[in-house]
């Protein structure tokens, strides 16, 4: 139905935007900008909250910043 089609399109758009944020996060991480990488990862997680890889990458960003306790808490929740 048209209503279902609209819902699927909105979900697909949100997912695509989420993964675009993840791509930006990885690029920032590669440049050593861990703070920006974490911010982009958090935006990606908002769009695609059930992807464990995004949460794992967020933990990696925290670890790279020396925030070991938060990194461990995120990983513990993912595992």
């Amino acid at each position: 139905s048209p209503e279902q089609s609209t819902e699927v399109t909105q979900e697909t758009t949100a997912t695509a935007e989420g993964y675009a944020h993840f791509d930006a996060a990885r690029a920032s991480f590669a440049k050593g900008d861990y703070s920006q990488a974490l911010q982009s990862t958090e935006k990606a997680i908002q769009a695609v909250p059930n992807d464990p890889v995004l949460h794992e990458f967020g933990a990696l960003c925290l670890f790279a910043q020396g925030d070991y306790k938060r990194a461990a808490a995120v990983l513990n929740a993912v595992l």
Side-chain angles (χ1 to χ4, degrees):
S1 75
E3 292 171 359
Q4 288 175 330
S5 177
T6 301
E7 289 176 19
V8 170
T9 302
Q10 290 172 344
E11 183 177 315
T12 302
T13 301
T15 300
E17 289 175 3
Y19 288 120
H21 286 298
F22 184 45
D23 289 341
R26 293 188 325 215
S28 294
F29 192 92
K31 293 177 187 174
D33 189 350
Y34 307 124
S35 177
Q36 181 59 47
L38 181 60
Q39 289 176 13
S40 295
T41 302
E42 289 170 349
K43 290 178 183 177
I45 290 170
Q46 288 175 356
V48 191
N50 295 324
D51 186 334
V53 172
L54 299 179
H55 294 277
E56 183 179 356
F57 191 79
L60 179 64
C61 294
L62 291 167
F63 188 86
Q65 292 178 310
D67 193 344
Y68 307 119
K69 287 185 180 185
R70 280 182 57 203
V74 170
L75 288 176
N76 187 45
V78 171
L79 298 175

